[in-house]
Amino acid sequence: MKQQITWQEAWRDYTRNFFKPKAPISYEMYKAHSRLVRPLGVVLTIIWFIIIYQIGKYPEGFWNRAEKTQDHFEIVQSFKRGLVFILISSAIILPTLPTELRMFTKRGKSGLPYMLTFIFFVVGGITFSFITFYLNMKGDMLFGVLMMLVLIFMNNQSYVDNVRKTGADQNEQ
């Protein structure tokens, strides 16, 4: 029988154990934490779309300017898009980090690769954006998207869903 966890219990557990990656966690609490931070992710995604839409607008008379001026403007826009993507996507992932680390501890796995990937995602993405800007390149967000996908595939979501579906935990034998 699955226990029902209220929003208040999930919030209390989330805030009390935010800086305690070794604190115990149940699979139901992991799902409750996911539901708890999901609205923040949705709001940040909407903000990201609005900012990207505003960055992507060309000023009036853009096509009447010199080609060099157009290229510089597009390079600056590309730099801004890259930074916004990295910062907002890291702000979406950051609230889930303590819960993921707690689940890695419950599974008996090290959370270090996940943390290093997150750090590499943020630092590498910002560095990539600055390098493309200083080299006058129109950088794309491929680096950031790839690192984001790696973080998504490294999280514990599919493991917890499988355990909840089958009821068999490999670590509790």
Side-chain angles (χ1 to χ4, degrees):
M1 184 172 149
K2 296 179 183 176
Q3 62 182 15
Q4 294 293 332
I5 297 176
T6 64
W7 286 92
Q8 291 84 9
E9 292 171 332
W11 178 253
R12 192 175 322 116
D13 182 70
Y14 180 77
T15 54
R16 285 185 181 165
N17 296 313
F18 190 81
F19 294 107
K20 300 176 187 171
K22 305 256 185 225
I25 189 169
S26 66
Y27 299 116
E28 286 75 22
M29 189 60 76
Y30 176 85
K31 294 300 278 187
H33 285 194
S34 296
R35 287 189 300 271
L36 191 64
V37 297
R38 195 172 293 147
L40 176 65
V42 170
V43 168
L44 287 173
T45 303
I46 291 170
I47 290 171
W48 178 66
F49 282 127
I50 292 169
I51 291 172
I52 291 297
Y53 175 74
Q54 292 299 320
I55 288 174
K57 285 185 172 180
Y58 289 111
E60 193 164 321
F62 172 76
W63 301 108
N64 296 332
R65 295 180 182 177
E67 187 176 343
K68 194 170 192 172
T69 307
Q70 290 177 358
D71 286 342
H72 180 71
F73 180 79
E74 288 177 343
I75 289 168
V76 170
Q77 297 299 76
S78 175
F79 172 70
K80 289 179 184 178
R81 277 194 300 270
L83 282 184
V84 166
F85 175 76
I86 296 296
L87 295 177
I88 289 191
S89 57
S90 63
I92 290 171
I93 294 172
L94 189 62
T96 65
L97 192 62
T99 305
E100 293 295 334
L101 294 177
R102 288 174 64 191
M103 185 53 68
F104 279 122
T105 302
K106 177 178 177 63
R107 293 176 57 194
K109 307 281 183 185
S110 173
L112 184 62
Y114 188 79
M115 283 182 31
L116 290 176
T117 304
F118 177 71
I119 292 168
F120 184 68
F121 165 67
V122 175
V123 173
I126 291 172
T127 304
F128 180 77
S129 294
F130 275 103
I131 288 172
T132 57
F133 178 71
Y134 285 116
L135 293 178
N136 290 327
M137 297 169 54
K138 296 176 193 167
D140 55 10
M141 293 183 282
L142 182 62
F143 175 82
V145 170
L146 288 177
M147 293 306 295
M148 182 85 165
L149 288 174
V150 168
L151 283 169
I152 289 170
F153 289 128
M154 284 179 72
N155 72 11
N156 294 294
Q157 190 70 43
S158 62
Y159 177 81
V160 170
D161 289 341
N162 187 31
V163 168
R164 291 180 76 213
K165 191 184 316 178
T166 62
D169 186 1
Q170 299 164 353
N171 294 328
E172 293 180 0
Q173 295 175 356

